[in-house]
Amino acid sequence: MAVRVNTRVDLFAGEMRQLLTGSTGQVVSFIRSVTRKVRTRAVLKCPVDTGRLRAAHREEVGVRAGQVYGFVENDVEYAAAVHDGTGAHLIRPRRAGGMLRFETGGQVVFTSLVRHPGTRAQPWLREAMEEVAGSEGFRLVRS
């Protein structure tokens, strides 16, 4: 003869919300962990000249309108140019009638205009996110 036991678990809306989006809830903890891994990987992959760009990574995890989010950002003024690269462009002095001064080949050059060829992209943040996302089982979708 088989014995059957019926059980019932009631999760009230507040308890469910706390489990999913509370500061110590499982979803928030998981997103915090993944975000930290992305930041750590981004710092390691970041191109370095002075170290300012590498030191400026910031992460944030939170809940807004019932949705859990996590992001890593770098707000140094030249971060986007390094990450995404630049096309060919002109560089002019900040002040009208001013001159640009730089060194090339050991020579000091003064000029009123530079035709910069652009720089290649070094998308360290995107690469870090792609590496971590794949290992954590996420599927990335480009929008």
Side-chain angles (χ1 to χ4, degrees):
M1 172 151 72
V3 176
R4 181 174 172 183
V5 177
N6 291 325
T7 59
R8 177 178 164 172
V9 176
D10 290 327
L11 290 175
F12 298 105
E15 293 167 330
M16 190 63 139
R17 194 171 21 260
Q18 184 64 27
L19 178 67
L20 295 176
T21 61
S23 62
T24 59
Q26 292 176 346
V27 174
V28 172
S29 294
F30 175 69
I31 296 301
R32 184 174 288 115
S33 170
V34 171
T35 304
R36 173 64 44 95
K37 289 176 186 176
V38 171
R39 179 177 178 266
T40 299
R41 190 75 188 130
V43 168
L44 293 173
K45 294 183 77 64
C46 182
V48 179
D49 183 17
T50 64
R52 182 170 171 230
L53 190 63
R54 176 173 275 177
H57 290 88
R58 183 179 85 80
E59 67 186 76
E60 183 177 318
V61 175
V63 179
R64 187 178 305 130
Q67 293 187 335
V68 180
Y69 68 89
F71 65 81
V72 176
E73 70 177 357
N74 191 312
D75 60 2
V76 171
E77 64 274 3
Y78 55 87
V82 174
H83 191 271
D84 301 330
T86 62
H89 57 280
L90 298 176
I91 302 174
R92 293 187 168 95
R94 290 185 180 143
R95 288 178 288 207
M99 297 293 284
L100 298 169
R101 179 194 181 276
F102 59 94
E103 290 184 37
T104 182
Q107 298 280 335
V108 176
V109 177
F110 292 92
T111 184
S112 60
L113 179 71
V114 172
R115 287 180 173 78
H116 194 285
T119 57
R120 68 177 177 80
Q122 299 179 68
W124 79 95
L125 276 169
R126 185 177 65 236
E127 291 170 358
M129 189 262 313
E130 289 171 348
E131 289 173 15
V132 172
S135 69
E136 292 292 331
F138 288 98
R139 183 175 58 90
L140 298 176
V141 178
R142 302 226 189 260
S143 57

